[in-house]
Amino acid sequence: MVALLSSTIAASMIVAAGEFAIPPKPEPSFYKTVKQCSMKISDQCGRTIVEAVLEDRDISKQCCVELVHGMGKLCHDDFLRFYVSLPELGVDATHVYTRGIQVWNNCVREAASNI
């Protein structure tokens, strides 16, 4: 997840006349928060969750447990905002937020059945 986050942040920087421009909206501290959140989940599950949200893929029970009990709702919501803030991803904000809620709710049920 850290590698994915790092490459996504790097991709979000645009070289223009020798300067780096950060995408509009998020404050610099937001990127620090997202990076801290990425450390609360394995790289494999991080990729799986990104694919579930952006590409409507399924998530394993183990990754749901990591999302719900490891990363938590606030971090999940921050990642949704992060994806939407990157214009080069070209994501539909409504889809990301709707799918993000579905992923979270499904994972809460999956994680609860794991207790």
Side-chain angles (χ1 to χ4, degrees):
M1 185 68 172
V2 174
L4 175 64
L5 174 63
S6 297
S7 64
T8 304
I9 289 174
S12 71
M13 296 181 172
I14 304 164
V15 179
E19 297 178 16
F20 288 100
I22 304 292
K25 301 284 186 209
E27 296 293 322
S29 62
F30 179 70
Y31 294 110
K32 181 179 177 184
T33 300
V34 171
K35 184 174 181 177
Q36 290 170 342
C37 287
S38 73
M39 295 178 188
K40 297 179 179 183
I41 195 165
S42 69
D43 288 346
Q44 179 183 353
C45 286
R47 281 189 297 276
T48 299
I49 293 164
V50 169
E51 291 171 353
V53 172
L54 299 181
E55 301 172 11
D56 297 332
R57 297 208 181 158
D58 293 329
I59 302 176
S60 69
K61 183 178 276 195
Q62 178 57 40
C63 288
C64 279
V65 169
E66 285 190 36
L67 174 63
V68 174
H69 297 296
M71 217 167 81
K73 178 80 165 113
L74 291 177
C75 283
H76 177 68
D77 290 347
D78 283 344
F79 266 100
L80 298 179
R81 282 189 286 280
F82 176 70
Y83 302 136
V84 170
S85 78
L86 299 174
E88 62 277 2
L89 288 182
V91 298
D92 174 34
T94 302
H95 174 79
V96 169
Y97 290 131
T98 301
R99 182 64 182 148
I101 291 167
Q102 291 171 347
V103 165
W104 178 260
N105 290 340
N106 290 342
C107 280
V108 167
R109 283 190 295 277
E110 283 291 319
S113 70
N114 197 39
I115 296 176

